């Protein structure tokens, strides 16, 4: 059983042909048979006979495979354990195989997350259809993220409902947008959202607090060593089950990996790095403007993806490699407060991912709600809570060091109003900033964050982001708000007021962010404004100095922003608004 | 003539293997996988099976001979062996494996030992038959191309 390299990208054009399958079985006879069968299905096959070897292959090449098929009984590692690892680290669909068809075994497989359980002897026709699992997962990913965000947003604010009504668009994915809307509607009902997409009964609602606990546990354990059982034990939530944690963790990873991807994309753009955030974490290539640029396209759709990721991404290493990241935990950005989890959709995806920062993470502190506008996919991730950071976890992200991270007005308990300017705009990003407990302050800062991070757009994978952000702490409420404005912008800034709001918010946020750092507010706003107003700025050219649209630099606008929201710059957040960052941000804020 | 006769014999033997329960559906799956890229696929797989399963047989043997018998290990080995046998569609062999596992879970050493003899017997009989079968297939192929 040699291991044949199958590192290539899937051939989307002739899907499912070219599907990259990794087969793991200690029986050489079966391995050969399966290989032949899969080849006959026109799949790209890689075989290995040891579980450890399989994990190495998978880790080596995160995106090298689409699906894993593994036998249950293996000498070096239990097949279920491998299943768990794959699910957690790579979030790939896994099919289990065994000659034993006992119900209990099958159930165990499903419990551990197997998307199918085949009995040996396996027929070729059973293998022909495995692509459906890959496809299904892709669809659900988006949905889950959205739903997660939805949940978050509910916590965040209720007022965000209008936003949803506007039909934030989820760029690119109709499904997601539909879901989002659905979620939004649900949210409005102010009821505990059960993830509609999951259609599971008695779904766990991952509140901000719960998510925060989760994130804390994950950080404690160490991202690499994380496992549902360990997390569950640490979290000490009696009614929570291992399965709940496992699935949540999956989403979290997904989220992080999305962020990572976003940041990767952003890096490629590097167009936007204006200010070369020296002050920023070196990691983040703030130049991730790509998201911003992309946004343009999306903007028209009303979906803006805050490329906040860029900045974040840099710091964050976005998850793509969760294992690697461990260090991310320190996302300076918002303390676990309600970081904005901007889910920046994979650049690969049609860029229409919006990042919806729904929750204004209750406590603004952490909430860097960056609406990462991944231009491509405005995945509405409710970044609502960027839980402290989730970014941290994965990627340093939110290190708002760039100043953004904490955008949501530090400490402001302003409720993040999810009012993202959206009212009119189809804020796709839907950051439904759930108003948090925070007081009325609406930190609309969201877009600002983008700037800060210059491109810290952390594309927190929606999934993860959602968790992350679920505004865990009430303090984060701010976060969500920030993004809202952005969304409006996409809607083409049509409503001047909207955009203004946004701008003002941004400015407001800016101000707050600066916490007196003295960052020229105007510059920020300009950036922001430019982005928004201009439509072409969609890409939140944070930091794109070229914004022509300076229309909104009207300080007056800013003044309108209730600064109270930001109360004394609470830069409690460690990472929040680091003055130094601000300047950096300044440069790139919307650049 | 010669070719046809040979081919007929091959077909006949093949049918009897199925009729007598030595082989089952999985074997046909293997045959279907055989193509120009792998013209002797079935034979290769069978050969691979017999080579690899030899060590499994040995493992089971050793475990059965040890005192006291570790039934859980025994079950593991037999589980592997059964899975492997199913890969070529060795029906009689896998049926005996199932019986074995029942004795094993009942921790019936006597039953296990007896059943294992059956397993080995079926395993050996099948090998001989398949050897003959493939030989005939080769002959028919040669005659065919001649």
């Amino acid at each position: 059983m040699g291991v044949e390299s199958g590192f290539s990208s899937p051939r989307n054009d002739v899907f499912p042909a070219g599907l990259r399958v990794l087969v793991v079985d200690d029986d050489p006879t079966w391995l050969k048979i399966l290989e032949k069968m899969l080849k006959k299905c026109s799949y790209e096959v890689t075989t290995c006979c040891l579980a450890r070897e399989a994990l190495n292959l998978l880790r080596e090449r995160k995106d090298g495979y689409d699906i894993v098929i593994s036998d249950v009984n293996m000498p070096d590692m239990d097949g279920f354990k491998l299943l768990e690892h794959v699910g957690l680290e790579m979030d790939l669909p896994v099919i289990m195989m065994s000659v034993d068809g006992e119900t209990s075994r099958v159930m165990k497989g499903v419990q551990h997350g197997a998307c199918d359980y085949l009995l040996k002897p396996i027929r070729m026709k059973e293998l022909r259809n495995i692509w459906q699992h890959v496809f299904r997962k892709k669809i659900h990913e988006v949905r889950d993220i959205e739903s997660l965000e939805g949940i978050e947003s509910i916590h965040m604010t209720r007022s965000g409902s209008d936003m949803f009504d506007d039909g934030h668009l989820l760029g690119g994915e109709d499904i997601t947008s539909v879901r989002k809307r659905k979620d939004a509607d649900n949210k409005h009902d102010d009821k505990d959202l059960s993830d509609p997409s999951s259609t599971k009964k008695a779904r766990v609602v991952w509140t901000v607090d719960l998510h925060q606990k989760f994130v804390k546990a994950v950080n404690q354990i160490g991202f690499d060593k994380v496992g549902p059982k360990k997390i569950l034990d640490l979290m000490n939530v009696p009614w929570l089950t291992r399965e709940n944690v496992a699935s949540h963790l999956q989403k979290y990873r997904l989220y992080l990996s999305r962020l990572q991807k976003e940041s990767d994309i952003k890096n490629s753009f590097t167009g936007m790095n204006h200010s070369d955030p020296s002050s920023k974490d070196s990691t983040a290539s703030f130049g991730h403007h790509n998201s911003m640029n992309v946004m343009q396209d999306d903007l028209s759709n009303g979906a803006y993806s805050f490329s906040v990721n860029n900045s974040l991404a840099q710091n964050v290493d976005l998850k793509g490699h969760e294992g690697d990241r461990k260090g991310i935990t320190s996302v300076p950005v918002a303390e676990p407060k309600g970081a904005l989890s901007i889910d920046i959709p994979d650049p690969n995806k049609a860029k229409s991912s919006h990042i919806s920062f729904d929750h204004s993470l209750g406590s603004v502190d952490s909430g860097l709600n960056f609406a990462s506008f991944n231009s491509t996919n405005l995945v509405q991730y409710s970044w609502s809570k960027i839980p402290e950071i989730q970014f941290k976890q994965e990627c340093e992200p939110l290190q708002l060091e760039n100043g953004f991270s904490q955008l949501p007005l530090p400490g402001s308990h302003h409720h993040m109003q999810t009012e993202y300017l959206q009212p009119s705009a189809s804020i796709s990003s839907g950051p439904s900033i759930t108003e948090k407990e925070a007081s009325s302050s609406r930190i609309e800062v969201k877009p600002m964050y983008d700037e800060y991070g210059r491109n810290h757009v952390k594309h927190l994978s929606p999934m993860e982001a959602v968790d992350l952000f679920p505004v865990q702490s009430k303090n984060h409420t701010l976060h969500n708000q920030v993004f809202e404005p952005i969304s409006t912008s996409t809607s083409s800034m049509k409503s001047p007021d909207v955009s203004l709001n946004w701008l003002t918010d941004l400015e407001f946020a800016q101000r707050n962010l600066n916490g007196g750092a003295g960052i020229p507010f105007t510059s920020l706003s300009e950036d922001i404004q430019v982005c928004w107003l201009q439509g072409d700025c969609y890409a939140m050219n944070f930091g794109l100095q070229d914004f022509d649209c300076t229309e909104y630099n009207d300080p007056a606008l800013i003044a309108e922003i209730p600064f109270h929201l930001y109360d004394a710059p609470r830069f409690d957040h460690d990472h929040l608004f680091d003055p130094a960052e601000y300047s950096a941000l300044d440069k790139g804020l919307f650049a | 003539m010669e070719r046809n006769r040979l081919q007929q014999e091959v077909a006949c033997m093949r049918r009897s293997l199925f009729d007598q329960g030595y082989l089952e559906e999985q074997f046909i799956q293997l045959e279907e996988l055989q193509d120009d890229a792998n013209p002797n696929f079935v034979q290769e797989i069978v050969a691979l099976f017999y080579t690899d399963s030899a060590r499994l047989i040995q493992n089971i043997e050793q475990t059965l001979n040890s005192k006291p018998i570790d039934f859980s290990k025994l079950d593991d080995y037999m589980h592997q062996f059964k899975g492997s046998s199913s890969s070529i569609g060795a029906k009689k062999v896998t049926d005996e494996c199932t019986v074995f596992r029942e004795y094993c879970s009942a921790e019936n050493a006597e039953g296990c030992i007896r059943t294992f003899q059956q397993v080995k017997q079926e395993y050996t009989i099948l090998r001989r038959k398949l050897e003959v079968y493939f030989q005939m297939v080769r002959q028919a192929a040669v005659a065919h191309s001649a």
Side-chain angles (χ1 to χ4, degrees), chain B residues 13-135:
Chain B
M13 182 170 187
R14 182 181 171 281
R15 201 168 34 245
S16 80
L17 284 171
F18 280 98
D19 289 345
Q20 290 171 25
Y22 286 102
L23 293 177
E24 55 180 351
E25 159 81 30
Q26 178 66 14
F27 193 83
I28 297 175
Q29 289 277 310
L30 297 184
E31 288 176 328
E32 284 176 359
L33 287 175
Q34 193 157 293
D35 55 14
D36 290 341
N38 296 89
N40 300 313
F41 188 70
V42 189
Q43 197 177 331
E44 286 167 12
I45 292 286
V46 171
L48 184 54
F49 163 70
Y50 274 102
T51 306
D52 187 63
S53 57
R55 80 182 155 86
L56 288 174
I57 297 251
Q58 206 174 10
N59 287 343
I60 296 174
E61 205 108 64
Q62 273 174 2
T63 315
L64 273 176
N65 289 336
S66 64
K67 291 189 177 26
I69 296 180
D70 184 345
F71 285 101
S72 107
K73 207 198 262 180
L74 200 57
D75 187 66
D76 263 352
Y77 286 140
M78 184 44 83
H79 183 95
Q80 284 178 47
F81 181 77
K82 185 182 173 189
S84 212
S85 305
S86 70
S87 74
I88 63 166
K91 190 171 193 309
K92 289 200 180 204
V93 177
T94 52
D95 285 347
E96 290 297 335
C97 289
T98 307
V99 175
F100 181 97
R101 289 190 82 194
E102 280 169 16
Y103 280 120
C104 196
S105 61
E107 299 206 353
N108 184 335
E110 174 70 28
C112 286
I113 294 171
R114 240 181 323 131
T115 312
F116 190 57
Q117 296 310 314
Q118 288 293 111
V119 169
K120 281 193 289 186
Q121 200 172 356
E122 292 297 341
Y123 174 82
T124 311
I125 291 172
L126 180 63
R127 171 166 41 200
R128 263 191 258 126
K129 284 187 182 279
L130 286 175
E131 276 171 3
V132 170
Y133 173 71
F134 286 123
Q135 197 170 21

Side-chain angles (χ1 to χ4, degrees), chain A residues 149-357:
Chain A
E149 296 178 350
I151 293 174
E152 296 304 348
S153 52
I154 291 191
H155 297 303
M156 303 285 299
T157 56
R158 298 282 167 220
S159 57
S161 53
D162 352 321
M163 297 195 299
F164 294 110
D165 292 339
D166 288 339
H168 344 278
L169 311 178
L170 295 174
E173 302 244 51
D174 293 332
I175 295 177
T176 52
S177 54
V178 169
R179 280 196 49 69
K180 198 74 178 99
R181 236 172 258 118
K182 221 172 24 132
D183 289 344
D185 291 338
N186 287 341
K187 291 192 200 114
H188 297 329
D189 295 341
D190 193 15
K191 64 184 179 202
D192 278 341
L193 263 204
S194 291
D195 185 350
S197 58
S198 50
T199 59
K200 291 183 195 146
K201 19 356 187 301
R203 241 184 99 92
V204 168
V205 176
W206 281 86
T207 65
V208 175
D209 289 324
L210 193 62
H211 182 75
Q212 226 167 8
K213 279 207 184 101
F214 170 83
V215 169
K216 199 143 116 220
V218 171
N219 289 339
Q220 240 176 292
I221 299 169
F223 203 77
D224 275 352
K225 313 200 241 355
V226 86
K229 185 91 180 62
K230 288 184 188 164
I231 299 175
L232 186 64
D233 291 341
L234 268 179
M235 280 177 72
N236 196 23
V237 176
W239 52 267
L240 199 64
T241 71
R242 202 196 131 282
E243 284 72 35
N244 296 144
V245 176
S247 83
H248 194 73
L249 182 58
Q250 259 194 354
K251 294 180 186 170
Y252 187 62
R253 300 179 91 103
L254 188 70
Y255 168 76
L256 293 177
S257 72
R258 279 177 194 281
L259 284 179
Q260 178 57 60
K261 286 181 189 153
E262 286 303 331
S263 73
D264 287 346
I265 294 188
K266 297 228 176 124
N267 286 319
S268 52
F269 283 93
T270 55
M272 322 251 268
N273 307 323
H274 319 296
S275 48
D276 193 19
S278 37
S279 54
K280 300 177 207 220
D281 301 335
S282 48
T283 58
S285 41
F286 297 102
H288 300 302
H289 294 277
N290 37 31
S291 52
M292 306 243 254
N293 298 320
V294 178
M295 303 226 348
Q296 296 183 355
D297 304 329
D298 298 329
L299 288 179
S300 42
N301 302 329
Y304 17 79
S305 43
F306 289 90
S307 18
V308 173
N309 291 339
N310 288 332
S311 41
L312 294 180
Q314 307 198 339
N315 300 320
V316 165
D317 284 325
L318 295 182
K319 336 310 239 62
H321 317 281
E322 307 196 296
D324 314 331
R325 289 306 156 122
K326 315 243 289 181
I328 307 205
T329 54
S330 53
V331 177
V333 174
E335 309 196 304
K337 300 164 218 180
L340 288 173
S341 42
I342 301 180
D343 222 336
I344 303 206
D346 270 341
N348 303 323
K349 291 187 188 181
K351 325 323 179 53
S352 43
S353 43
H354 339 278
I355 302 197
S356 45
F357 300 95

